[in-house]
Amino acid sequence: MLPRQMQRVGRDWIAHWNSSQVFSWNNPISTCMRWVGHYPWATFPLSVPFDYSANWRWPLFFRPWRQFQNSNWQLDNFTQNCCFHLSNPNMKSEGGEPSTKKRRLSGQRDTSAPEAEKSSSNQKEAPCLSVVHNEGNCTSKRGAIQRHWEYFCQHSRAMKTSKNKATDQSNRESEAKFDFTVMSYNILSQNLLEDNSHLYKHCQQPILIWTYRFPNILQEIKQLDADVLCLQEVQEDHYRTEIKSSLESLGYHCEYKMRTGRKPDGCAICFKTSKFSLISSSPVEFFRRDIPLLDRDNVGLVLLLQPRLHCKTSAAVCIANTHLLYNPRRGDIKLTQLAMLLAEIASVACQKDGTFCPIIICGDFNSVPGSPLYSFIKEGKLNYEGLAIGKVSGQEQFPRGQRILPIPIWPQKLGISQNCVYEIQQQQKEENTGEKMTEAKLDGTEKIVIASEKLSSKLQHHFKLSSVYSHYFPETGKPEVTTCHSRSAVTVDYIFFSAANNDTAAQPGAEHTLSGGLKLLGRLALVSEQDLWTVNGLPNENNSSDHLPLLAEFRLIER
């Protein structure tokens, strides 16, 4: 017997016989197919006839899910068994939401024009911010998340238009400046997806298969066309067999660091060889066998890149990518991992004159805006005395346990100071500036002072870092969201950058010693949680990760 969905077809279907039989709507047939049977309505880009011969068998999607999952399903194989072609209506806002999301959002006011709301609110954010809705990088696919470009400078918008024209004038301008785009994207490891299936109960199972997800992810990368990609949760076997070769065919050079434990994913930084050349690549492992605190297998990756394209500036750009520990109750590990990443950045980005080259730090930090960890990155300092471990990341509103961060957080044998630099590097800097005193000249009082400094509860770093995103919509106060699944929708992904002194779009930071800096020209706008549930959250039919890609455009400024 046909499933109930098909019994209602009635007069609207027509059976065509010509050595084969196809069921179709009288309406114009879309390129999508309704998923009937056990999983009501996942869509696929299919449109092929069905072989109604003696060897006919029920298609895979009518069989039990486990049998389907183990069938090594692929789009090409699946189209051979396709028989029903049904149009797919646009997803309504609350049709597929988990009950918890419905209850949470039911009390919120619905805005009739969310795009207009975001546009007007973002215009208040910065004096020279302009919102562009019809850019090539904007999402325009039907039923997809609507995102637009926000420019912080009108000249940037004109520059973006002239880029497609490839005029002589734009070539002359490129000699005086260097503009580039950077994307940060957690693409959701398939292994982690399957290990945490409870987070994706709102999703139809077929859209969670890697052979369905990867083409969507690759299409997003092609469409946004960033000069630098910082990817997290890149599964090693997929990277080796598909991801690396696909990105190389798009003109990227790829560097990859796999996690050190059993989980087979890691971080990748890919850059266009037409835009940059590689100076150095430095992987960072946060696991230390001899330090009990550092028993987790998270990693980072730090690249030093040299700009190309007739750029007069000789400054390099340091790009870092990481995925910090998730556990909300282990803020001590998170801060230590962050300090290790900052120490490696300080080592890589340090120039001969003692200044730092421009720095961009991307990643999934598993910390929310305004949390102590986030504030430390932006402000360059943190006094953690009396701070509960569970409050470091701000992931839990009411964290369990009241354990306080120890002083110091990490042992001295890690070799990283409270300034988040390697001890050897700090000693060399002290020797160069004449600040170091020999122990023979120290009296007992001075020794006590140094001992107390080593036990200080104050962390700091010497980068002036700003966030590309402001994390809230100024007009409504609603938070921006970078990740959304069945249990939460928050911001945990960031792009931080060392801002030039004259960058009006940047947030003020700590004192620093930078060789030049970066000016934020524009960004791809984020959306609210309510906006995401209008497309059934993440992942969905068009967005195949539980995170949104972050994208920003920068201009390299010489000192």
Side-chain angles (χ1 to χ4, degrees):
M1 180 180 292
L2 289 173
R4 184 172 54 191
Q5 291 93 331
M6 296 304 302
Q7 294 177 6
R8 293 197 293 264
V9 172
R11 67 177 183 278
D12 291 330
W13 66 267
I14 299 174
H16 299 278
W17 288 86
N18 183 13
S19 72
S20 64
Q21 182 173 356
V22 178
F23 297 99
S24 62
W25 291 113
N26 285 337
N27 300 337
I29 298 174
S30 71
T31 58
C32 293
M33 169 183 171
R34 192 175 179 87
W35 187 273
V36 293
H38 188 64
Y39 299 101
W41 56 294
T43 62
F44 295 87
L46 307 171
S47 180
V48 295
F50 161 60
D51 182 12
Y52 201 77
S53 63
N55 296 325
W56 177 86
R57 292 184 302 170
W58 281 105
L60 288 171
F61 56 84
F62 284 104
R63 304 178 196 171
W65 166 244
R66 180 58 57 185
Q67 184 178 355
F68 172 82
Q69 188 180 33
N70 295 333
S71 63
N72 192 24
W73 176 85
Q74 294 181 354
L75 282 176
D76 294 339
N77 297 336
F78 184 75
T79 55
Q80 303 303 320
N81 294 323
C82 171
C83 61
F84 299 110
H85 301 272
L86 309 179
S87 61
N88 176 43
N90 285 336
M91 189 182 302
K92 301 303 179 184
S93 61
E94 295 185 349
E97 294 177 12
S99 58
T100 55
K101 297 296 178 186
K102 291 182 182 179
R103 288 195 296 270
R104 189 191 315 179
L105 297 176
S106 60
Q108 298 179 357
R109 293 183 180 179
D110 187 22
T111 56
S112 58
E115 285 301 312
E117 173 186 293
K118 283 183 284 184
S119 176
S120 60
S121 65
N122 285 321
Q123 286 175 355
K124 292 183 178 181
E125 186 176 328
C128 59
L129 176 63
S130 62
V131 180
V132 183
H133 289 274
N134 297 320
E135 285 288 331
N137 287 343
C138 297
T139 307
S140 58
K141 199 191 264 186
R142 201 170 102 179
I145 301 167
Q146 298 299 316
R147 301 176 67 185
H148 55 265
W149 265 101
E150 298 171 337
Y151 285 112
F152 289 96
C153 179
Q154 190 66 27
H155 177 68
S156 171
R157 182 178 176 181
M159 186 257 339
K160 192 80 174 181
T161 305
S162 66
K163 189 181 293 185
N164 296 329
K165 297 180 181 179
T167 61
D168 294 336
Q169 182 180 358
S170 64
N171 290 332
R172 289 194 297 269
E173 288 178 354
S174 66
E175 295 178 0
K177 64 180 183 293
F178 184 79
D179 299 345
F180 62 100
T181 53
V182 176
M183 177 198 291
S184 181
Y185 194 9
N186 183 327
I187 65 173
L188 180 57
S189 160
Q190 189 68 22
N191 186 273
L192 293 177
L193 183 155
E194 294 170 1
D195 288 347
N196 299 276
S197 58
H198 61 281
L199 300 178
Y200 311 105
K201 292 180 180 179
H202 63 287
C203 301
Q204 308 303 316
Q205 290 293 338
I207 72 171
L208 299 179
I209 301 172
W210 176 250
T211 49
Y212 180 88
R213 294 177 54 229
F214 179 61
N216 275 354
I217 293 171
L218 187 61
Q219 179 59 33
E220 274 188 296
I221 292 174
K222 287 181 180 179
Q223 183 180 6
L224 296 177
D225 193 31
D227 297 315
V228 180
L229 306 175
C230 292
L231 306 177
Q232 304 89 42
E233 291 193 22
V234 180
Q235 194 162 307
E236 192 274 336
D237 57 336
H238 293 156
Y239 173 78
R240 187 180 64 253
T241 59
E242 296 177 274
I243 298 175
K244 183 180 180 182
S245 58
S246 297
L247 294 179
E248 286 177 342
S249 67
L250 298 177
Y252 291 98
H253 171 84
C254 304
E255 294 288 325
Y256 178 73
K257 175 57 183 174
M258 183 179 169
R259 290 167 74 170
T260 52
R262 297 179 179 179
K263 294 179 180 178
D265 67 283
C267 294
I269 300 180
C270 313
F271 60 90
K272 287 190 175 180
T273 55
S274 61
K275 202 81 172 181
F276 295 95
S277 60
L278 180 64
I279 298 176
S280 66
S281 176
S282 305
V284 184
E285 296 182 356
F286 299 142
F287 175 81
R288 293 288 189 275
R289 191 177 303 275
D290 57 337
I291 300 178
L293 173 68
L294 297 173
D295 60 350
R296 308 305 166 96
D297 54 11
N298 305 83
V299 295
L301 187 60
V302 182
L303 265 58
L304 192 62
L305 302 179
Q306 181 69 48
R308 294 186 189 267
L309 294 181
H310 309 290
C311 182
K312 287 184 177 180
T313 178
S314 58
V317 179
C318 180
I319 308 286
N321 183 23
T322 191
H323 189 179
L324 298 185
L325 177 71
Y326 166 77
N327 192 336
R329 295 180 291 278
R330 293 308 304 267
D332 52 344
I333 299 179
K334 291 174 187 278
L335 281 174
T336 306
Q337 291 180 345
L338 177 61
M340 296 171 71
L341 180 69
L342 293 175
E344 186 62 30
I345 293 172
S347 176
V348 171
C350 186
Q351 301 182 123
K352 294 180 179 180
D353 60 357
T355 62
F356 296 113
C357 69
I359 297 166
I360 297 175
I361 307 177
C362 300
D364 181 344
F365 290 81
N366 278 314
S367 302
V368 302
S371 65
L373 187 143
Y374 172 87
S375 299
F376 172 54
I377 295 175
K378 283 196 64 179
E379 298 173 7
K381 57 185 177 180
L382 173 66
N383 187 349
Y384 60 88
E385 184 176 3
L387 179 62
I389 290 179
K391 293 183 178 180
V392 169
S393 64
Q395 293 165 278
E396 294 181 340
Q397 188 175 2
F398 304 104
R400 289 172 284 178
Q402 298 298 321
R403 200 155 60 96
I404 304 300
L405 285 169
I407 302 175
I409 299 175
W410 56 82
Q412 187 176 0
K413 65 179 178 179
L414 180 60
I416 295 176
S417 72
Q418 298 289 295
N419 293 329
C420 296
V421 297
Y422 293 124
E423 293 280 8
I424 296 176
Q425 186 179 0
Q426 180 164 319
Q427 290 173 6
Q428 291 175 346
K429 185 175 181 180
E430 290 173 350
E431 290 174 355
N432 294 336
T433 57
E435 295 176 359
K436 183 180 174 77
M437 298 176 64
T438 60
E439 189 167 338
K441 295 182 181 180
L442 294 175
D443 57 20
T445 304
E446 288 171 326
K447 286 182 180 180
I448 293 173
V449 170
I450 289 179
S452 65
E453 287 178 352
K454 289 184 178 180
L455 295 178
S456 172
S457 61
K458 297 179 181 179
L459 297 178
Q460 63 178 349
H461 64 77
H462 297 292
F463 311 127
K464 178 188 175 183
L465 296 175
S466 301
S467 174
V468 164
Y469 292 91
S470 52
H471 314 309
Y472 294 91
F473 298 104
E475 186 173 296
T476 63
K478 290 182 179 180
E480 297 173 338
V481 169
T482 67
T483 181
C484 179
H485 50 67
S486 294
R487 291 197 172 182
S488 68
V490 293
T491 287
V492 294
D493 306 277
Y494 304 94
I495 300 177
F496 296 105
F497 67 102
S498 55
N501 292 330
N502 60 348
D503 189 356
T504 57
Q507 304 290 335
E511 293 184 359
H512 66 293
T513 53
L514 284 170
S515 177
L518 296 166
K519 181 178 180 62
L520 178 61
L521 300 180
R523 66 191 180 194
L524 185 61
L526 288 170
V527 297
S528 67
E529 177 182 3
Q530 193 169 10
D531 294 329
L532 284 176
W533 284 116
T534 64
V535 291
N536 201 40
L538 297 173
N540 56 52
E541 299 170 10
N542 298 310
N543 308 93
S544 288
S545 173
D546 58 350
H547 292 249
L548 291 175
L550 279 58
L551 182 66
E553 184 175 18
F554 298 101
R555 174 166 297 164
L556 184 60
I557 304 295
E558 288 189 275
R559 182 170 54 179

